[in-house]
Amino acid sequence: MRVLARARSVLDEVAALHRVVEQSRTELRVGYAWAALGRHTRRLQRAWAATHPRLPLVFIQSATASAGLAEGAVDVAVVRRPLHDPRFDTAQVGVEARYAAVATDNRLARRRAVRLADLARYPVAIDDRTGTTTPDMWPADAAPTAIRITHSVDEWLTLIAAGQAVGVTSEATANQNPRPGVAYRPLRDARPLPVWLAWWHDDPPAYLTDLLDLVRETYRPPAG
C-alpha cells in the first residue's frame, strides 16, 4: 500500500509538472510576493496585449523570496529585494517611493506624509522573508520600539488595521492592496525602492527583451 501511495504521489507530481510546461507555452507568467507593478500593472497588461495578443501576460502571487521563480511557478518575477542567487539574472526596471502604513485611527493618518522617526514610536511589522523593510532603515539610536514579524501581506495588513503595529512598504503595495482600516502615507525620508525583474539564467523566457522594454516604459515618467 505504501508503494502504491508513493507511486500515485509521483504520478500527481508528474502531471502537475506537465501542466506547468503546457501553460508556459501559452502564457507568460509573472510572479510577485506583495504587489505586481502597482498602478503600472494594468498599463503593462494593455501594452503587452496589443503587441503579443496570442501570449497572455498573467500575474501570479507567490509568497516566497523569489516570488515563485525558484519554485517553478512563474517564468519571470517582480522582486524588490536583491536576489543573491547565481541561478537567476536580474535587471532593474524602475524605482518606487516608500509609503508608511498605519491604522486609520492613528494620529499619523491625519498627516499628508510621515517620517521614519514618527513610525519608530510604534511596533513595526516586518516580513523578513518577502518584505522590503528592515530594521536598519532606522538609525541605531532611533530604532523602533519593537518589531513584529509577519508572514504574508494579509497578516501584515491585518496587524496594522488593528492598530497593533505600523509598517513601511512600496508604492505598489499602497496602490494594489487597499484595506479598510489602513491608511497609506508617503514616507519623506526613506530611500526609493528599486524594482527588478528576475529570471532563470539558464532558461530565459521567450520575449524577455520585449517585457523588459515595456516594463521600463511603464515606469518612465511622462515627458514634459
Side-chain angles (χ1 to χ4, degrees), residues 2 19 24 36 47 71 79 128 141 150 159 165 173 192 194 201 207 213:
R2 290 182 180 178
R19 288 193 297 270
S24 69
E71 295 72 24
V79 293
D128 57 5
D141 59 350
T150 62
L159 196 67
T173 302
H201 173 78
Y207 304 106
D213 289 344

Side-chain angles (χ1 to χ4, degrees), residues 4 13 23 29 37 45 53 60 67 82 98 113 115 128-129 134 138 155 157 161 166 169 178-179 194 211 217 221:
L4 181 59
E13 291 174 4
Q23 287 177 342
R29 299 159 301 160
L37 301 175
Q45 288 174 312
I60 298 172
R98 293 184 192 256
R115 297 182 181 275
D128 57 5
R129 188 167 54 97
T134 57
W138 285 264
E155 182 181 335
L157 287 166
V166 298
T169 191
R179 173 67 67 92
L211 180 63
E217 180 62 30

